[in-house]
Amino acid sequence: MAGKLTVTEKTGKTIDEAIELALAELNVSRDRIDYEVLEVPSKGLFGFIGSKLAKVKVTVRAIDSVEEAKQFLNNVFKAMHVTVSMEKMNQGDHVVINLRGEDLGVLIGKHGQTLDALQYLTNLAANREADERTRIILDVEDYRKRRAETLSRLATRLADKVKRRGERVVLEPMSPQERKIIHMALQNDNRIVTYSEGDEPYRKVVIALKNNGR
């Protein structure tokens, strides 16, 4: 999503000087702006009488966070020598960029850890200069959807085990997003309670019987 346009007018002895003064005020690089020359400098009579300064109108181009994200990802993929296509989908308060290509398992990593790290860096790159933050979710060949389905099935199976044996089950450490999937999968089971324990990045979900104490 694009940020707000910022405009300023500056004068200087030369057009370049006026532009540099505007860049300093706006704190942006030259490749981020468009400018319009409002007045061309002139020396006037005898070099000083009636002389006129240069005047420019400088506009900071609005930032499209999604395009910034795509540019960042393209640079990453180019450095990795992998060919990836990107599909953008708007989903409520966030944007999903689904990555597709051959042999992209390297972008996923164990339980999506590499994908989560790449997503974090992409959000930093996309929003570093944006006025309005856009939350970007990265996916690879619908991996997150498949992973969510796997975790939901796992949660149901482990909840049944807890109900049969009466003993709590502690899952392996998961990211906040994956822990949320477990909690949501069992939130309507009136015999089961789920909670998290431990510190990041080793925080785990616990599945236990209700009224059985923690």
Side-chain angles (χ1 to χ4, degrees), residues 67-77 118 121-122 125-126:
E67 291 305 313
E68 291 287 313
K70 287 183 176 180
Q71 183 59 52
F72 170 76
L73 290 168
N74 277 326
N75 291 337
V76 171
F77 301 147
L118 182 59
L121 294 174
T122 300

Side-chain angles (χ1 to χ4, degrees), residues 158-198:
L158 292 177
D160 289 340
K161 179 180 177 182
V162 169
K163 285 183 277 191
R164 288 196 313 270
R165 299 186 178 182
E167 299 175 351
R168 74 175 197 161
V169 171
V170 182
L171 282 72
E172 65 180 4
M174 293 181 182
S175 67
Q177 293 80 11
E178 294 197 337
R179 294 198 304 270
K180 182 178 179 181
I181 293 170
I182 300 293
H183 293 313
M184 292 184 65
L186 300 176
Q187 64 182 349
N188 294 323
D189 191 323
N190 57 18
R191 294 183 58 193
I192 290 294
V193 63
T194 63
Y195 55 94
S196 297
E197 64 181 19

Side-chain angles (χ1 to χ4, degrees), residues 31-192:
D31 61 356
R32 285 278 321 282
I33 60 111
D34 294 315
Y35 70 91
E36 176 186 355
V37 178
L38 301 178
E39 294 182 8
V40 177
S42 61
K43 291 185 177 180
L45 186 63
F46 305 121
F48 62 90
I49 299 175
S51 61
K52 188 165 59 176
L53 295 174
K55 186 175 183 180
V56 297
K57 178 180 179 181
V58 175
T59 303
V60 181
R61 287 192 294 271
I63 294 175
D64 187 316
S65 297
V66 175
E67 291 305 313
E68 291 287 313
K70 287 183 176 180
Q71 183 59 52
F72 170 76
L73 290 168
N74 277 326
N75 291 337
V76 171
F77 301 147
K78 184 177 180 181
M80 295 177 66
H81 303 290
V82 295
T83 302
V84 181
S85 64
M86 290 180 256
E87 298 175 356
K88 186 197 84 169
M89 295 170 286
N90 293 316
Q91 294 190 358
D93 64 344
H94 64 274
V95 173
V96 176
I97 298 178
N98 201 5
L99 310 175
R100 299 191 181 279
E102 299 292 330
D103 301 320
L104 296 186
V106 65
L107 298 180
I108 298 174
K110 183 180 179 181
H111 299 330
Q113 291 176 349
T114 302
L115 183 58
D116 287 341
L118 182 59
Q119 176 177 290
Y120 174 75
L121 294 174
T122 300
N123 275 275
L124 286 182
N127 293 293
R128 62 187 169 188
E129 296 185 48
D131 294 312
E132 297 179 9
R133 180 176 176 80
T134 300
R135 181 171 168 241
I136 296 171
I137 303 295
L138 290 189
D139 203 353
V140 175
E141 301 281 1
D142 300 312
Y143 163 80
R144 292 196 187 278
K145 179 181 178 181
R146 298 194 307 272
R147 177 68 173 164
E149 292 170 349
T150 297
L151 289 174
S152 294
R153 290 194 298 269
L154 174 65
T156 300
R157 188 168 70 250
L158 292 177
D160 289 340
K161 179 180 177 182
V162 169
K163 285 183 277 191
R164 288 196 313 270
R165 299 186 178 182
E167 299 175 351
R168 74 175 197 161
V169 171
V170 182
L171 282 72
E172 65 180 4
M174 293 181 182
S175 67
Q177 293 80 11
E178 294 197 337
R179 294 198 304 270
K180 182 178 179 181
I181 293 170
I182 300 293
H183 293 313
M184 292 184 65
L186 300 176
Q187 64 182 349
N188 294 323
D189 191 323
N190 57 18
R191 294 183 58 193
I192 290 294

